[in-house]
Amino acid sequence: MKTRLILIRHGESLGNSKRIILGHTDWDLSPLGYRQAEITAAALADRRVDAIYSSDLIRAYHTVLPMASSRGLTVTTDTSLRELYVGEWEGREVHELIGTYGDLYLVDWRQHFGTFTAPGGESVVALGER
């Protein structure tokens, strides 16, 4: 029997809508993000889903909740499924990061995301190992 894994990124968060870098900062979905969660559940309605796992962050949990509810499934949360921890950049506005860190944010973060580590944060490699 084959196992199929469906990966879903969380809907727009309140941080996304305000251009704030969240990482592990636990902010909820925006109204648009809630709508995206409903649309995602509807788009996957014909797919067989036996289990749903999510990061423990509320934006991720609320993204998969409509799909779980429509199927009578419980969402299993796990901290190891959290997105990249960005250290000192957690909860800070993009314009502030540009003003404070300049090229470190504009060049290193954006163009070398796979290999770059934000100050006090974790690398993508560390995220993958988690």
Side-chain angles (χ1 to χ4, degrees), residues 47-117:
R47 298 286 183 115
R48 179 178 170 184
V49 175
D50 298 317
I52 299 177
Y53 294 86
S54 170
S55 157
D56 65 321
L57 297 174
I58 194 111
R59 62 187 175 269
Y61 178 80
H62 281 166
T63 297
V64 296
L65 194 56
M67 185 172 14
S69 296
S70 68
R71 290 173 161 80
L73 295 173
T74 301
V75 177
T76 301
T77 60
D78 188 328
T79 58
S80 67
L81 296 175
R82 285 184 176 189
E83 62 187 83
L84 187 70
Y85 177 64
V86 291
E88 295 173 19
W89 294 4
E90 293 273 325
R92 295 177 72 180
E93 295 179 12
V94 169
H95 79 271
E96 177 187 357
L97 294 176
I98 293 169
T100 303
Y101 294 95
D103 281 350
L104 193 64
Y105 176 80
L106 289 170
V107 177
D108 295 338
W109 168 259
R110 292 178 145 189
Q111 294 180 14
H112 306 289
F113 181 77
T115 57
F116 178 76
T117 302

Side-chain angles (χ1 to χ4, degrees), residues 2-31:
K2 289 183 181 180
T3 298
R4 180 175 298 202
L5 185 63
I6 302 170
L7 300 175
I8 300 170
R9 187 186 191 303
H10 64 75
E12 181 188 71
S13 70
L14 292 168
N16 297 140
S17 68
K18 296 177 183 192
R19 295 187 40 88
I20 294 173
I21 303 291
L22 294 182
H24 288 195
T25 303
D26 199 11
W27 285 21
D28 203 356
L29 294 173
S30 69

